[in-house]
Amino acid sequence: MSWLRTETADGIRWLPIDRPDRKNAIPADGWPLLAEAFIDFEVSPDRVLVVTGAGGDFCAGADLDSERFSDRAAVSDTHRRMKLVERAATALHRLSKPTIAAVDGVAVGAGMNLALGCDMVIGSDRARFSEIFVRRGLTVDFGGTWLLPRIVGLQRAKELALSGRIVDAAEAARLGIVMEVVPVDQLDDRVTEIAQSFLAGAPIGQMFAKQGLNAAFESSFSEAITWEGQSQSIVFGTEDMVEGVTAFLEKRQPRWKGR
């Protein structure tokens, strides 16, 4: 897994994709490794995941050179490969802990949707995004048809997906593709600052909050308020709730245990 390594410090796990000679494109056999990296983070004691890329780019999506396509690949063969892509996208979506995409340079195709699959995207001032699939004779994958309209609205999502055009950092900020744009030399520091802010929150409370927000567009108000009541009832029985209240009364920082 030399091209996909992890670096952990103080509860924050960095996951750099390290194939700079291919703009960090994911090789054909790399999707299971990406899924495993997400699953490994979920069961680890680390609290926040930062997905990023090496060498000045985030991720150029699938490495088409490594796919070795025939003139027309058999549907059954392609579908088997796509199941691996789906598994990686689903593993990212199901993470119960906060995730941040730190995007410098290109984030295109599945690389763009890898970024959008994180809870938030922080981009450098030279970040560029594209749902480039249609310009390669392909269609949107890695969750893009679900993620993009929720972030930019249906009409704009269609325009971006049907044109495959490049969106620069400034427009990405206007559209909500990125939460924040910072100078490239400040990207890691700003992402670290945001990640550290998540360490101040209780892990179980964050898990329920994230699950509820992810379901918001499929839930009625009645379903959402019922979910809140059920999850809050569970949280009230945790050690972290007692610690949070005690720390508040004692005017100190809480020491979360995640139970």
Side-chain angles (χ1 to χ4, degrees):
M1 213 162 78
S2 59
W3 60 270
L4 191 61
R5 52 193 169 80
T6 59
E7 303 165 0
T8 300
D10 301 322
I12 301 170
R13 178 176 293 200
W14 292 72
L15 184 66
I17 303 170
D18 192 4
R19 299 186 77 217
D21 58 319
R22 303 297 302 161
K23 293 188 179 295
N24 301 317
I26 308 297
D29 61 356
W31 301 106
L33 298 179
L34 192 60
E36 288 168 16
F38 296 143
I39 294 168
D40 183 68
F41 165 69
E42 178 68 16
V43 300
S44 77
D46 297 328
R47 295 280 315 278
V48 184
L49 179 68
V50 178
V51 183
T52 188
D57 286 300
F58 181 72
C59 177
D63 188 346
L64 298 182
D65 282 355
S66 71
E67 294 281 359
R68 295 185 175 85
F69 290 112
S70 60
D71 290 340
R72 288 189 297 174
V75 171
S76 58
D77 291 341
T78 305
H79 190 250
R80 280 194 292 271
R81 290 200 296 266
M82 287 309 303
K83 283 294 181 183
L84 303 178
V85 178
E86 292 170 20
R87 182 170 177 263
T90 301
L92 173 60
H93 179 70
R94 288 179 176 171
L95 291 178
S96 66
K97 298 182 278 189
T99 57
I100 305 170
V103 177
D104 184 28
V106 299
V108 301
M112 176 173 177
N113 296 328
L114 170 62
L116 296 184
C118 295
D119 295 321
M120 62 205 57
V121 183
I122 308 300
S124 78
D125 50 11
R126 63 184 187 186
R128 305 185 303 284
F129 300 83
S130 172
E131 295 285 359
I132 203 166
F133 300 93
V134 294
R135 298 198 177 190
R136 303 291 182 264
L138 299 168
T139 190
V140 179
D141 65 21
F142 208 87
T145 59
W146 191 91
L147 295 162
L148 192 61
R150 284 165 171 76
I151 293 169
V152 304
L154 181 57
Q155 184 169 240
R156 181 61 70 186
K158 289 179 178 178
E159 185 268 327
L160 294 175
L162 299 180
S163 70
R165 69 178 177 85
I166 297 290
V167 175
D168 65 18
E171 183 180 6
R174 291 195 300 272
L175 295 178
I177 291 171
V178 298
M179 187 179 80
E180 191 173 325
V181 175
V182 297
V184 63
D185 60 350
Q186 298 176 24
L187 180 61
D188 286 356
D189 287 344
R190 179 57 181 147
V191 169
T192 299
E193 183 180 18
I194 294 170
Q196 288 173 339
S197 76
F198 294 145
L199 300 178
I204 298 174
Q206 288 176 336
M207 176 186 72
F208 282 118
K210 180 171 172 176
Q211 290 175 352
L213 291 168
N214 280 344
F217 289 96
E218 287 77 46
S219 303
S220 66
F221 180 80
S222 177
E223 290 168 334
I225 204 76
T226 298
W227 164 262
E228 291 175 2
Q230 292 171 342
S231 57
Q232 195 73 292
S233 298
I234 295 170
V235 173
F236 260 98
T238 65
E239 293 181 32
D240 277 354
M241 188 282 296
V242 176
E243 168 63 13
V245 173
T246 302
F248 171 72
L249 295 175
E250 293 178 355
K251 296 181 172 56
R252 61 172 175 81
Q253 292 299 313
R255 296 180 287 271
W256 305 121
K257 297 179 180 179
R259 60 178 187 265

